[in-house]
Amino acid sequence: MEKQELLKAFKNNHQTFTQYIDGLDIEKFIYANDNKWSAGQQLKHVLLTLTPFPKILPSKNYLSEKFGTLDRSSWNYETVLNNYLKTNRQAPQQFVPNPVILFEEKEQIIRDIKNHIETITFHLNNYSEEELDLFSIPHPLLGKLTIREMFYLMSYHPLHHLKQIEVSFESYRK
């Protein structure tokens, strides 16, 4: 996937996710089924996973010095996704939301996600196609990934959590 297509998917998938949650009433926002995360917790988790990128993407030198490069060719979207689905998909502690996310926090979390998406997109536009496949970033479950591979996952991520919310709502009774 070329950079512009990847950035479009990244932005659109997060927009789809946040618009869905923005439309939830308080009961659905806080509803948790079978010890799963509520929609509010899913929203906060997505924000937490985005938070490191505005800090590390501005400096290519930092990425190069801190994480280096990969000595393999970049995986395509399907390979990244298949490798991710083989993991336990358990969020590391720094990406686990608080046990309760209040309905009153919803608007601010959505604003923060939108701001992060804009900042991340801005910085990724400063990378060439070659640099997306050169620089690496550590993923907590998959190890070092190229920036392109990381953003394949980051594009998939909000839709994965949207599906979890929809599945949870299958047992919701108002």
Side-chain angles (χ1 to χ4, degrees):
M1 189 181 305
E2 296 294 316
K3 178 173 73 172
Q4 292 309 312
E5 183 182 0
L6 180 58
L7 291 176
K8 183 178 179 184
F10 175 69
K11 287 176 76 168
N12 289 347
N13 292 351
H14 280 87
Q15 183 178 29
T16 298
F17 174 75
T18 56
Q19 284 177 339
Y20 181 87
I21 291 182
D22 197 28
L24 298 178
D25 61 25
I26 188 170
E27 290 82 14
K28 283 192 171 181
F29 185 79
I30 64 173
Y31 174 75
N33 177 38
D34 197 26
N35 294 320
K36 302 290 185 187
W37 287 346
S38 68
Q41 288 173 294
Q42 302 274 5
L43 182 68
K44 182 69 174 194
H45 167 73
V46 168
L47 173 62
L48 291 171
T49 62
L50 292 170
T51 299
F53 295 107
K55 299 171 189 166
I56 65 171
L57 287 175
S59 175
K60 295 175 187 178
N61 287 336
Y62 173 80
L63 285 178
S64 180
E65 291 170 11
K66 181 81 173 171
F67 307 121
T69 58
L70 292 182
D71 57 359
R72 63 167 172 77
S73 33
S74 250
W75 295 333
N76 63 24
Y77 177 84
E78 291 78 21
T79 302
V80 171
L81 193 57
N82 286 335
N83 286 336
Y84 173 72
L85 293 174
K86 290 176 188 174
T87 71
N88 65 13
R89 289 176 265 160
Q90 294 296 310
Q93 191 57 43
Q94 72 265 33
F95 302 117
V96 174
N98 293 334
V100 175
I101 304 298
L102 301 175
F103 185 74
E104 294 77 16
E105 297 176 76
K106 178 172 75 164
E107 285 183 30
Q108 184 61 53
I109 296 170
I110 290 172
R111 260 195 312 275
D112 290 345
I113 289 173
K114 289 178 181 179
N115 289 337
H116 281 342
I117 297 299
E118 290 307 313
T119 302
I120 291 166
T121 302
F122 172 81
H123 290 303
L124 285 177
N125 268 314
N126 292 322
Y127 286 80
S128 68
E129 292 288 345
E130 295 76 24
E131 289 171 329
L132 292 179
D133 295 319
L134 175 67
F135 294 108
S136 68
I137 301 174
H139 185 274
L141 302 176
L142 292 172
K144 279 184 165 183
L145 297 177
T146 66
I147 294 173
R148 186 183 311 277
E149 293 165 346
M150 181 65 79
F151 281 89
Y152 284 156
L153 276 181
M154 296 307 295
S155 296
Y156 164 79
H157 191 241
L159 299 183
H160 164 71
H161 286 281
L162 177 59
K163 181 69 173 167
Q164 288 182 335
I165 294 166
E166 291 171 338
V167 167
S168 175
F169 286 165
E170 288 175 4
S171 64
Y172 177 78
R173 301 283 185 259
K174 195 167 186 177

